[in-house]
Amino acid sequence: MIVMSIAGVDPSAGAGVFADLKTFQAIGVYGTGIVTALTSQNPYKFFSTQPVSGDYISEEIDSVLDAYDVKYIKTGMLYSPEIIKLVSKKIREYDLKAVVDPVMVATSGGDLTREDLADALNKYLLPKSILTTPNISEAEKLTDFKISTKEDAIKASEMIKCNSLITGGHLDGINTINIDGEISIVKQELIDTDNLHGTGCNLSAAITAYLAKNNDMNSSILKALDYVYEGIKNGNYGTLIAKI
Ligand code: PXL
């Protein structure tokens, strides 16, 4: 089973395409990686971003899909509304099932985008996607609605334009899942750590890998939450041997 990540490169490989490939490997699917932008950063400091042109991203996607039969993809850092539009077009063209990590700013505060991407995500990408995995602040940006409680998260999930997992790292570990309008809550104990770089990337990559291994949406989400949780506990999700 071949999957694809469309995202930026973090050379320290905790986040971005390199991290996604490690997670794909750990869960046992073959990963391909489309680079939307280079960044120079490490888990503690963000230096700069060098975006790839839309035309070239398009060529990267075509070159892989010309040879490989890919059904499930994930998207991460898409950098600009132009790239969001282009990726939405490719999803339609190749009939891809996309899990969207609606990356807008880095945990480290780095410049992953120059513009407000929420409008473009809502207009072009989310309506064509099978799942999005915002954290609380991303969910707030997508819905223009402040989330302080579990009830708020549920309301926000009802406003988001596709199925969603709103992650609860900033809401007492309360993860809110909305699949076809059906809500479920999964609470995880918060782990006291400052090593959370790339957790969002690895979560959406893990969901994509589990889906590709024929798990349904709900069990893919539950297994991926578990995978990332174990990774945070061990301080290294990239090399974790997945529970499959
Ligand atoms: O986790 C958000 C993210 C996504 N993509 C890239 C990143 C980061 C955070 O640092 O570097 C490339």
Side-chain angles (χ1 to χ4, degrees):
M1 198 42 97
I2 303 174
V3 296
M4 174 182 281
S5 165
I6 305 179
V9 165
D10 159 15
S12 63
V17 174
F18 294 166
D20 291 341
L21 293 177
K22 288 189 275 184
T23 286
F24 292 153
Q25 181 86 7
I27 295 173
V29 298
Y30 184 91
T32 63
I34 305 301
V35 177
T36 58
L38 302 174
T39 68
S40 44
Q41 61 172 315
N42 62 45
Y44 319 108
K45 188 158 187 251
F46 196 95
F47 295 86
S48 68
T49 305
Q50 182 78 53
V52 175
S53 76
D55 283 349
Y56 202 78
I57 294 168
S58 200
E59 189 176 316
E60 287 182 72
I61 294 171
D62 291 339
S63 67
V64 173
L65 297 181
D66 193 36
Y68 290 153
D69 188 16
V70 172
K71 183 167 164 196
Y72 290 100
I73 71 164
K74 67 145 279 183
T75 68
M77 172 190 181
L78 296 178
Y79 189 73
S80 69
E82 179 211 354
I83 299 175
I84 289 174
K85 244 195 241 186
L86 180 159
V87 169
S88 316
K89 221 175 96 198
K90 293 292 174 195
I91 287 171
R92 204 173 42 223
E93 184 181 336
Y94 289 100
D95 195 19
L96 301 167
K97 297 194 183 306
V99 175
V100 174
D101 179 10
V103 175
M104 291 179 258
V105 287
T107 321
S108 57
D111 174 25
L112 295 181
T113 170
R114 276 172 309 188
E115 303 165 67
D116 181 4
L117 297 185
D119 283 352
L121 287 166
N122 282 331
K123 191 162 169 201
Y124 301 108
L125 191 54
L126 297 191
K128 288 199 198 66
S129 302
I130 59 167
L131 181 75
T132 187
T133 59
N135 58 27
I136 296 293
S137 75
E138 289 162 346
E140 288 180 337
K141 286 202 180 88
L142 290 175
T143 56
D144 210 6
F145 175 73
K146 174 110 185 71
I147 301 171
S148 316
T149 63
K150 181 173 94 177
E151 289 69 32
D152 293 341
I154 292 172
K155 251 186 236 163
S157 84
E158 287 163 345
M159 292 184 232
I160 290 174
K161 310 226 172 279
C162 61
N163 293 332
S164 61
L165 159 62
I166 302 179
T167 57
H170 295 103
L171 191 66
D172 291 332
I174 296 169
N175 302 293
T176 306
I177 302 169
N178 185 331
I179 302 173
D180 299 330
E182 196 164 315
I183 312 278
S184 52
I185 301 289
V186 176
K187 186 153 173 12
Q188 291 174 302
E189 289 298 311
L190 291 179
I191 299 168
D192 187 16
T193 176
D194 58 3
N195 186 7
L196 293 170
H197 177 64
T199 43
C201 302
N202 286 284
L203 176 67
S204 55
I207 295 170
T208 306
Y210 286 122
L211 286 168
K213 296 195 76 163
N214 278 329
N215 295 276
D216 66 21
M217 180 61 84
N218 193 53
S219 41
S220 297
I221 290 172
L222 297 181
K223 285 182 183 184
L225 282 171
D226 205 34
Y227 171 82
V228 171
Y229 193 81
E230 290 298 311
I232 296 170
K233 254 190 350 205
N234 298 324
N236 186 359
Y237 16 90
T239 56
L240 188 77
I241 302 303
K243 289 183 202 159
I244 296 174

